[in-house]
């Protein structure tokens, strides 16, 4: 069975559009443009899984996480401020 995705957040923060999608198995994707050159990360620690694709400034970047708790970490890895992260997570539906 393949995952189906629904958009749970769309907005703009710090001059970048942000889209968050949730799958039917409760994993998440974050889509935005990178504002720093970033080598990306991928790791799993216990139940947490976070993946941020490598990207240069201005490129579209995708992050995948396996839980709502991991979203905060992924957004910080994408160089969003703590204020923006709180705003995004607080407005998800």
């Amino acid at each position: 069975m393949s995952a189906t995705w629904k958009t749970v957040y769309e907005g703009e923060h710090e001059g970048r559009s942000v889209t968050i999608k949730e799958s039917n198995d409760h994993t998440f994707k974050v889509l935005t443009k990178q504002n720093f050159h970033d080598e990306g990360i991928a790791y799993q620690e216990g139940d947490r899984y976070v993946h941020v694709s490598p990207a240069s400034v201005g490129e579209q970047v995708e992050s995948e996480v396996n839980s709502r708790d991991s979203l905060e970490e992924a957004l910080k890895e994408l160089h969003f401020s703590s204020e923006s992260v709180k705003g995004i997570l607080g407005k998800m539906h």
Side-chain angles (χ1 to χ4, degrees), residues 39-52:
E39 298 298 320
I41 63 159
Y43 68 89
Q44 184 164 355
E45 183 180 309
D47 292 357
R48 290 186 118 161
Y49 171 78
V50 176
H51 176 266
V52 177

Side-chain angles (χ1 to χ4, degrees), residues 2 10 17 27 47 49 60-61 66 69 75-76 78:
S2 63
E10 284 185 299
S17 64
T27 59
D47 292 357
Y49 171 78
Q60 186 71 21
V61 65
N66 68 341
D69 290 341
L75 290 165
K76 287 178 181 176
L78 289 164

Side-chain angles (χ1 to χ4, degrees), residues 50-86:
V50 176
H51 176 266
V52 177
S53 299
S56 295
V57 174
E59 285 186 328
Q60 186 71 21
V61 65
E62 181 176 294
S63 175
E64 294 183 31
V65 299
N66 68 341
S67 69
R68 191 175 281 257
D69 290 341
S70 299
L71 269 175
E72 180 176 359
E73 190 168 349
L75 290 165
K76 287 178 181 176
E77 289 288 341
L78 289 164
H79 307 282
F80 284 102
S81 68
S82 295
E83 183 177 295
S84 289
V85 171
K86 285 181 196 174

Side-chain angles (χ1 to χ4, degrees), residues 9-24:
Y9 180 82
E10 284 185 299
E12 188 166 314
H13 293 269
E14 301 171 22
R16 298 188 280 166
S17 64
V18 180
T19 301
I20 299 177
K21 296 179 179 247
E22 182 177 10
S23 74
N24 55 330

